[in-house]
């Protein structure tokens, strides 16, 4: 089986501490991996990361741009968009659960890090446009000032707090 494109050989970084290596890649989500939720799924990943050896660790930082597709929460038409995710993560030979990622002898697998970042940053309920009338304009008024918008968000989940950091490229 071919090695995942998301597995990076870090041998050169281990030889020269402080050396940085740029990792740029544009790929669809790995085979068999659904990145996202049942509703909103990642369709393409654009990675622009800097990998750096720091002692026994590898630090990955940079930008992941995720293209996604999902139904508009009002009219249910599919819409697409993209989210930018800035990250800085540490890879260690003995990773701390939920904090750092596994550093194998000569490589790091970026997939678990990407998977987590994408899941935390995809929109839960996209809108095709701010003034989408939806299937039923009387229930989903477009003039928010006249009547409060119906609460169609899912209940608060602290994991989605990172949503406030998302920027959309429209
Ligand atoms: Zn819509």
């Amino acid at each position: 089986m071919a090695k995942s494109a998301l597995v990076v050989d870090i041998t050169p970084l281990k030889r020269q501490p402080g050396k940085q290596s740029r990792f740029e890649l544009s790929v669809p989500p790995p085979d068999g991996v659904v990145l996202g939720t049942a509703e909103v799924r990642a369709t393409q990943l654009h990675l622009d990361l800097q990998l750096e050896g720091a002692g026994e660790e590898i630090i990955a930082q940079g930008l992941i741009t995720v293209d996604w597709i999902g139904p508009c929460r009002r009219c249910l038409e599919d819409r697409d968009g993209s989210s930018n995710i800035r990250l800085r993560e540490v890879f260690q030979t003995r990773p701390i659960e939920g904090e750092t990622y596994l550093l194998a002898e000569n490589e790091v697998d970026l997939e678990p890090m990407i998977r987590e970042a994408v899941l935390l940053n995809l929109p839960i309920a996209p809108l095709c446009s701010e003034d989408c009338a939806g299937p039923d304009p009387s229930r989903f008024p477009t003039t928010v000032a006249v009547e409060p918008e119906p609460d169609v968000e899912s209940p608060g989940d602290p994991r989605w707090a990172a949503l406030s950091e998302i920027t959309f490229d429209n």
Side-chain angles (χ1 to χ4, degrees), residues 56-58 90-96 100-104:
E56 298 295 300
E57 301 174 342
I58 295 285
V90 175
F91 290 79
Q92 300 175 314
T93 48
R94 290 183 189 173
I96 304 164
T100 60
Y101 295 92
L102 177 66
L103 168 62

Side-chain angles (χ1 to χ4, degrees), residues 68-133:
W68 48 261
I69 188 164
C72 168
R73 69 171 180 255
R74 289 185 197 154
C75 66
L76 304 180
E77 290 287 327
D78 269 346
R79 69 149 288 177
D80 49 24
S82 63
S83 304
N84 291 325
I85 306 168
R86 289 218 161 268
L87 48 73
R88 182 180 186 283
E89 298 292 349
V90 175
F91 290 79
Q92 300 175 314
T93 48
R94 290 183 189 173
I96 304 164
E97 174 89 36
E99 286 184 38
T100 60
Y101 295 92
L102 177 66
L103 168 62
E105 194 174 356
N106 289 312
E107 61 190 28
V108 292
D109 183 357
L110 300 176
E111 188 188 309
M113 174 187 82
I114 292 168
R115 196 191 283 242
E116 194 159 315
V118 169
L119 191 63
L120 286 171
N121 287 281
L122 280 181
I124 323 171
L127 268 181
C128 64
S129 75
E130 280 304 321
D131 53 4
C132 171

